[in-house]
mmCIF file of all heavy atoms in Angstrom:
data_model
loop_
_atom_site.group_PDB
_atom_site.id
_atom_site.type_symbol
_atom_site.label_atom_id
_atom_site.label_comp_id
_atom_site.label_asym_id
_atom_site.label_seq_id
_atom_site.Cartn_x
_atom_site.Cartn_y
_atom_site.Cartn_z
ATOM 1 N N ILE J 153 -26.410 202.949 -183.805
ATOM 2 C CA ILE J 153 -25.256 202.114 -183.309
ATOM 3 C C ILE J 153 -25.237 202.345 -181.827
ATOM 4 O O ILE J 153 -25.043 203.430 -181.339
ATOM 5 C CB ILE J 153 -23.923 202.470 -183.968
ATOM 6 C CG1 ILE J 153 -24.095 202.277 -185.488
ATOM 7 C CG2 ILE J 153 -22.765 201.650 -183.485
ATOM 8 C CD1 ILE J 153 -22.864 202.704 -186.332
ATOM 9 N N VAL J 154 -25.412 201.209 -181.022
ATOM 10 C CA VAL J 154 -25.574 201.393 -179.593
ATOM 11 C C VAL J 154 -24.569 200.601 -178.824
ATOM 12 O O VAL J 154 -23.992 199.595 -179.252
ATOM 13 C CB VAL J 154 -27.063 201.020 -179.131
ATOM 14 C CG1 VAL J 154 -28.046 201.874 -179.854
ATOM 15 C CG2 VAL J 154 -27.343 199.560 -179.390
ATOM 16 N N PRO J 155 -24.265 201.049 -177.535
ATOM 17 C CA PRO J 155 -23.352 200.379 -176.678
ATOM 18 C C PRO J 155 -23.984 199.296 -175.837
ATOM 19 O O PRO J 155 -25.213 199.010 -176.008
ATOM 20 C CB PRO J 155 -22.845 201.528 -175.794
ATOM 21 C CG PRO J 155 -24.035 202.423 -175.606
ATOM 22 C CD PRO J 155 -24.853 202.247 -176.908
ATOM 23 N N TRP J 156 -23.186 198.761 -174.951
ATOM 24 C CA TRP J 156 -23.693 197.545 -174.222
ATOM 25 C C TRP J 156 -24.114 197.901 -172.815
ATOM 26 O O TRP J 156 -24.573 197.039 -172.078
ATOM 27 C CB TRP J 156 -22.521 196.505 -174.077
ATOM 28 C CG TRP J 156 -21.138 197.218 -173.778
ATOM 29 C CD1 TRP J 156 -20.196 197.385 -174.770
ATOM 30 C CD2 TRP J 156 -20.675 197.638 -172.547
ATOM 31 N NE1 TRP J 156 -19.101 198.050 -174.211
ATOM 32 C CE2 TRP J 156 -19.388 198.199 -172.865
ATOM 33 C CE3 TRP J 156 -21.157 197.732 -171.272
ATOM 34 C CZ2 TRP J 156 -18.653 198.827 -171.789
ATOM 35 C CZ3 TRP J 156 -20.413 198.297 -170.284
ATOM 36 C CH2 TRP J 156 -19.153 198.858 -170.558
ATOM 37 N N ASN J 157 -23.950 199.123 -172.417
ATOM 38 C CA ASN J 157 -24.263 199.411 -170.943
ATOM 39 C C ASN J 157 -25.748 199.510 -170.659
ATOM 40 O O ASN J 157 -26.213 199.224 -169.522
ATOM 41 C CB ASN J 157 -23.488 200.602 -170.449
ATOM 42 C CG ASN J 157 -23.732 201.883 -171.187
ATOM 43 O OD1 ASN J 157 -24.257 201.846 -172.335
ATOM 44 N ND2 ASN J 157 -23.399 203.026 -170.642
ATOM 45 N N ILE J 162 -30.994 202.478 -174.395
ATOM 46 C CA ILE J 162 -30.277 203.411 -175.366
ATOM 47 C C ILE J 162 -30.792 203.096 -176.798
ATOM 48 O O ILE J 162 -31.024 203.987 -177.594
ATOM 49 C CB ILE J 162 -28.780 203.391 -175.271
ATOM 50 C CG1 ILE J 162 -28.393 203.992 -173.880
ATOM 51 C CG2 ILE J 162 -28.066 204.178 -176.382
ATOM 52 C CD1 ILE J 162 -26.911 204.006 -173.575
ATOM 53 N N LYS J 180 -27.731 198.450 -184.993
ATOM 54 C CA LYS J 180 -26.567 197.494 -184.650
ATOM 55 C C LYS J 180 -26.298 197.566 -183.160
ATOM 56 O O LYS J 180 -25.735 198.533 -182.646
ATOM 57 C CB LYS J 180 -25.341 197.896 -185.448
ATOM 58 C CG LYS J 180 -24.352 196.646 -185.412
ATOM 59 C CD LYS J 180 -22.882 197.039 -185.527
ATOM 60 C CE LYS J 180 -22.239 197.429 -184.290
ATOM 61 N NZ LYS J 180 -22.174 196.456 -183.186
ATOM 62 N N ALA J 182 -24.415 196.366 -179.635
ATOM 63 C CA ALA J 182 -23.035 196.064 -179.365
ATOM 64 C C ALA J 182 -22.844 194.562 -179.436
ATOM 65 O O ALA J 182 -23.811 193.809 -179.136
ATOM 66 C CB ALA J 182 -22.669 196.617 -177.901
ATOM 67 N N GLU J 183 -21.624 194.183 -179.823
ATOM 68 C CA GLU J 183 -21.439 192.752 -180.083
ATOM 69 C C GLU J 183 -21.470 191.920 -178.773
ATOM 70 O O GLU J 183 -21.641 190.681 -178.868
ATOM 71 C CB GLU J 183 -20.040 192.509 -180.845
ATOM 72 C CG GLU J 183 -18.883 193.316 -180.305
ATOM 73 C CD GLU J 183 -18.748 194.707 -180.921
ATOM 74 O OE1 GLU J 183 -19.740 195.479 -180.972
ATOM 75 O OE2 GLU J 183 -17.602 194.968 -181.369
ATOM 76 N N GLY J 213 -18.127 196.058 -184.515
ATOM 77 C CA GLY J 213 -18.169 197.465 -184.866
ATOM 78 C C GLY J 213 -17.309 197.836 -186.034
ATOM 79 O O GLY J 213 -17.848 198.523 -186.934
ATOM 80 N N GLN J 214 -16.133 197.247 -186.176
ATOM 81 C CA GLN J 214 -15.363 197.609 -187.287
ATOM 82 C C GLN J 214 -15.815 197.074 -188.631
ATOM 83 O O GLN J 214 -15.413 197.547 -189.684
ATOM 84 C CB GLN J 214 -13.891 197.061 -187.057
ATOM 85 C CG GLN J 214 -13.205 197.453 -185.851
ATOM 86 C CD GLN J 214 -12.928 198.954 -185.708
ATOM 87 O OE1 GLN J 214 -12.783 199.618 -186.763
ATOM 88 N NE2 GLN J 214 -12.879 199.533 -184.535
ATOM 89 N N GLY J 217 -20.747 197.801 -188.006
ATOM 90 C CA GLY J 217 -20.971 199.212 -187.652
ATOM 91 C C GLY J 217 -20.319 200.112 -188.697
ATOM 92 O O GLY J 217 -20.989 201.061 -189.213
ATOM 93 N N GLN J 218 -19.130 199.836 -189.055
ATOM 94 C CA GLN J 218 -18.397 200.636 -190.103
ATOM 95 C C GLN J 218 -19.178 200.596 -191.419
ATOM 96 O O GLN J 218 -19.368 201.621 -192.136
ATOM 97 C CB GLN J 218 -17.004 200.155 -190.279
ATOM 98 C CG GLN J 218 -16.181 201.115 -191.068
ATOM 99 C CD GLN J 218 -15.858 202.387 -190.358
ATOM 100 O OE1 GLN J 218 -15.477 202.348 -189.131
ATOM 101 N NE2 GLN J 218 -15.981 203.514 -191.004
ATOM 102 N N PHE J 231 -25.287 207.572 -182.863
ATOM 103 C CA PHE J 231 -24.357 206.764 -182.197
ATOM 104 C C PHE J 231 -24.173 207.050 -180.727
ATOM 105 O O PHE J 231 -24.103 208.237 -180.295
ATOM 106 C CB PHE J 231 -22.965 206.929 -182.885
ATOM 107 C CG PHE J 231 -21.791 206.279 -182.134
ATOM 108 C CD1 PHE J 231 -21.632 204.922 -182.235
ATOM 109 C CD2 PHE J 231 -20.892 206.985 -181.346
ATOM 110 C CE1 PHE J 231 -20.552 204.330 -181.518
ATOM 111 C CE2 PHE J 231 -19.837 206.432 -180.721
ATOM 112 C CZ PHE J 231 -19.667 205.027 -180.756
ATOM 113 N N THR J 232 -24.128 206.034 -179.890
ATOM 114 C CA THR J 232 -23.771 206.204 -178.516
ATOM 115 C C THR J 232 -22.588 205.263 -178.290
ATOM 116 O O THR J 232 -22.701 204.047 -178.547
ATOM 117 C CB THR J 232 -24.874 205.851 -177.551
ATOM 118 O OG1 THR J 232 -25.981 206.823 -177.833
ATOM 119 C CG2 THR J 232 -24.497 206.017 -176.149
ATOM 120 N N GLY J 233 -21.491 205.743 -177.681
ATOM 121 C CA GLY J 233 -20.348 204.908 -177.392
ATOM 122 C C GLY J 233 -19.102 205.783 -177.063
ATOM 123 O O GLY J 233 -19.360 206.899 -176.567
ATOM 124 N N SER J 234 -17.965 205.225 -177.409
ATOM 125 C CA SER J 234 -16.783 205.940 -176.918
ATOM 126 C C SER J 234 -16.322 207.009 -177.815
ATOM 127 O O SER J 234 -16.636 207.080 -179.042
ATOM 128 C CB SER J 234 -15.633 204.853 -176.883
ATOM 129 O OG SER J 234 -15.434 204.312 -178.138
ATOM 130 N N VAL J 237 -14.408 205.692 -181.101
ATOM 131 C CA VAL J 237 -15.279 205.333 -182.174
ATOM 132 C C VAL J 237 -16.009 206.459 -182.785
ATOM 133 O O VAL J 237 -16.317 206.577 -183.979
ATOM 134 C CB VAL J 237 -16.166 204.129 -181.757
ATOM 135 C CG1 VAL J 237 -17.142 203.738 -182.861
ATOM 136 C CG2 VAL J 237 -15.333 202.900 -181.348
ATOM 137 N N GLN J 240 -14.090 207.975 -185.478
ATOM 138 C CA GLN J 240 -14.114 207.038 -186.728
ATOM 139 C C GLN J 240 -15.491 207.361 -187.462
ATOM 140 O O GLN J 240 -15.520 207.425 -188.661
ATOM 141 C CB GLN J 240 -13.964 205.631 -186.395
ATOM 142 C CG GLN J 240 -12.555 205.338 -185.942
ATOM 143 C CD GLN J 240 -12.432 203.907 -185.363
ATOM 144 O OE1 GLN J 240 -13.369 203.090 -185.584
ATOM 145 N NE2 GLN J 240 -11.340 203.608 -184.730
ATOM 146 N N GLU J 255 -23.349 210.651 -178.946
ATOM 147 C CA GLU J 255 -23.397 210.631 -177.433
ATOM 148 C C GLU J 255 -22.265 209.830 -176.917
ATOM 149 O O GLU J 255 -22.213 208.629 -177.061
ATOM 150 C CB GLU J 255 -24.737 209.960 -176.974
ATOM 151 C CG GLU J 255 -25.985 210.598 -177.477
ATOM 152 C CD GLU J 255 -26.283 211.973 -176.820
ATOM 153 O OE1 GLU J 255 -25.533 212.360 -175.891
ATOM 154 O OE2 GLU J 255 -27.206 212.620 -177.246
ATOM 155 N N LEU J 256 -21.256 210.548 -176.363
ATOM 156 C CA LEU J 256 -20.000 209.845 -176.045
ATOM 157 C C LEU J 256 -19.778 209.722 -174.519
ATOM 158 O O LEU J 256 -20.790 209.587 -173.842
ATOM 159 C CB LEU J 256 -18.847 210.530 -176.798
ATOM 160 C CG LEU J 256 -19.067 210.730 -178.297
ATOM 161 C CD1 LEU J 256 -17.888 211.527 -178.919
ATOM 162 C CD2 LEU J 256 -19.356 209.440 -179.015
ATOM 163 N N GLY J 257 -18.594 209.786 -174.104
ATOM 164 C CA GLY J 257 -18.308 209.430 -172.763
ATOM 165 C C GLY J 257 -18.456 210.593 -171.731
ATOM 166 O O GLY J 257 -18.992 211.646 -172.127
ATOM 167 N N CYS J 289 -22.467 206.463 -168.725
ATOM 168 C CA CYS J 289 -21.778 207.640 -169.366
ATOM 169 C C CYS J 289 -21.735 208.865 -168.427
ATOM 170 O O CYS J 289 -20.780 209.622 -168.400
ATOM 171 C CB CYS J 289 -22.388 207.951 -170.702
ATOM 172 S SG CYS J 289 -24.107 208.243 -170.549
ATOM 173 N N GLU J 386 -11.919 208.339 -168.530
ATOM 174 C CA GLU J 386 -13.132 207.617 -168.167
ATOM 175 C C GLU J 386 -12.751 206.176 -167.924
ATOM 176 O O GLU J 386 -12.165 205.492 -168.821
ATOM 177 C CB GLU J 386 -14.095 207.661 -169.370
ATOM 178 C CG GLU J 386 -15.493 207.044 -169.019
ATOM 179 C CD GLU J 386 -16.416 207.096 -170.212
ATOM 180 O OE1 GLU J 386 -16.058 206.777 -171.361
ATOM 181 O OE2 GLU J 386 -17.574 207.460 -169.999
ATOM 182 N N PHE J 388 -15.126 203.807 -166.596
ATOM 183 C CA PHE J 388 -16.287 203.047 -166.930
ATOM 184 C C PHE J 388 -16.430 201.796 -166.116
ATOM 185 O O PHE J 388 -16.618 200.704 -166.532
ATOM 186 C CB PHE J 388 -16.309 202.723 -168.475
ATOM 187 C CG PHE J 388 -17.647 202.987 -169.082
ATOM 188 C CD1 PHE J 388 -18.258 204.171 -168.968
ATOM 189 C CD2 PHE J 388 -18.336 201.968 -169.730
ATOM 190 C CE1 PHE J 388 -19.508 204.445 -169.577
ATOM 191 C CE2 PHE J 388 -19.605 202.152 -170.269
ATOM 192 C CZ PHE J 388 -20.174 203.403 -170.235
ATOM 193 N N TRP J 452 -30.768 215.446 -173.783
ATOM 194 C CA TRP J 452 -29.653 214.746 -173.170
ATOM 195 C C TRP J 452 -28.469 214.743 -174.128
ATOM 196 O O TRP J 452 -28.647 214.406 -175.341
ATOM 197 C CB TRP J 452 -30.060 213.311 -172.905
ATOM 198 C CG TRP J 452 -28.943 212.515 -172.307
ATOM 199 C CD1 TRP J 452 -28.314 211.477 -172.870
ATOM 200 C CD2 TRP J 452 -28.421 212.570 -170.983
ATOM 201 N NE1 TRP J 452 -27.342 210.966 -172.052
ATOM 202 C CE2 TRP J 452 -27.469 211.675 -170.875
ATOM 203 C CE3 TRP J 452 -28.770 213.400 -169.872
ATOM 204 C CZ2 TRP J 452 -26.725 211.472 -169.707
ATOM 205 C CZ3 TRP J 452 -28.028 213.221 -168.738
ATOM 206 C CH2 TRP J 452 -27.024 212.228 -168.602
HETATM 207 P P1 NAD N 501 -17.749 201.567 -178.286
HETATM 208 O O1 NAD N 501 -17.496 202.881 -178.898
HETATM 209 O O2 NAD N 501 -16.634 200.679 -178.213
HETATM 210 O O3 NAD N 501 -18.869 200.815 -179.076
HETATM 211 C C1 NAD N 501 -20.158 201.273 -179.232
HETATM 212 C C2 NAD N 501 -20.876 200.743 -180.446
HETATM 213 O O4 NAD N 501 -20.073 201.163 -181.584
HETATM 214 C C3 NAD N 501 -20.817 199.254 -180.495
HETATM 215 O O5 NAD N 501 -22.036 198.767 -181.085
HETATM 216 C C4 NAD N 501 -19.672 198.917 -181.448
HETATM 217 O O6 NAD N 501 -19.802 197.655 -182.055
HETATM 218 C C5 NAD N 501 -19.715 199.960 -182.352
HETATM 219 N N1 NAD N 501 -18.534 200.322 -183.145
HETATM 220 C C6 NAD N 501 -17.268 200.072 -182.718
HETATM 221 N N2 NAD N 501 -16.377 200.471 -183.765
HETATM 222 C C7 NAD N 501 -17.176 200.975 -184.725
HETATM 223 C C8 NAD N 501 -16.859 201.569 -185.945
HETATM 224 N N3 NAD N 501 -15.577 201.739 -186.430
HETATM 225 N N4 NAD N 501 -17.888 202.024 -186.731
HETATM 226 C C9 NAD N 501 -19.141 201.924 -186.342
HETATM 227 N N5 NAD N 501 -19.463 201.350 -185.119
HETATM 228 C C10 NAD N 501 -18.527 200.908 -184.360
HETATM 229 O O7 NAD N 501 -18.346 201.887 -176.862
HETATM 230 P P2 NAD N 501 -18.766 200.841 -175.726
HETATM 231 O O8 NAD N 501 -17.536 200.352 -175.107
HETATM 232 O O9 NAD N 501 -19.772 199.888 -176.285
HETATM 233 O O10 NAD N 501 -19.569 201.861 -174.773
HETATM 234 C C11 NAD N 501 -18.886 202.486 -173.759
HETATM 235 C C12 NAD N 501 -18.797 203.999 -174.127
HETATM 236 O O11 NAD N 501 -20.122 204.552 -174.460
HETATM 237 C C13 NAD N 501 -18.294 204.848 -173.034
HETATM 238 O O12 NAD N 501 -17.340 205.764 -173.461
HETATM 239 C C14 NAD N 501 -19.531 205.604 -172.553
HETATM 240 O O13 NAD N 501 -19.238 206.812 -171.841
HETATM 241 C C15 NAD N 501 -20.285 205.747 -173.801
HETATM 242 N N6 NAD N 501 -21.728 206.038 -173.516
HETATM 243 C C16 NAD N 501 -22.239 207.279 -173.730
HETATM 244 C C17 NAD N 501 -23.570 207.503 -173.378
HETATM 245 C C18 NAD N 501 -24.201 208.881 -173.575
HETATM 246 O O14 NAD N 501 -25.471 208.994 -173.635
HETATM 247 N N7 NAD N 501 -23.427 209.894 -173.757
HETATM 248 C C19 NAD N 501 -24.430 206.438 -172.932
HETATM 249 C C20 NAD N 501 -23.857 205.189 -172.740
HETATM 250 C C21 NAD N 501 -22.466 204.937 -173.020
#
Side-chain angles (χ1 to χ4, degrees):
I153 302 176
V154 301
W156 42 258
N157 58 342
I162 293 180
K180 198 207 81 64
E183 47 270 51
Q214 303 294 337
Q218 193 68 46
F231 170 76
T232 299
S234 60
V237 175
Q240 292 173 10
E255 301 288 353
L256 308 177
C289 52
E386 186 179 46
F388 225 56
W452 179 253

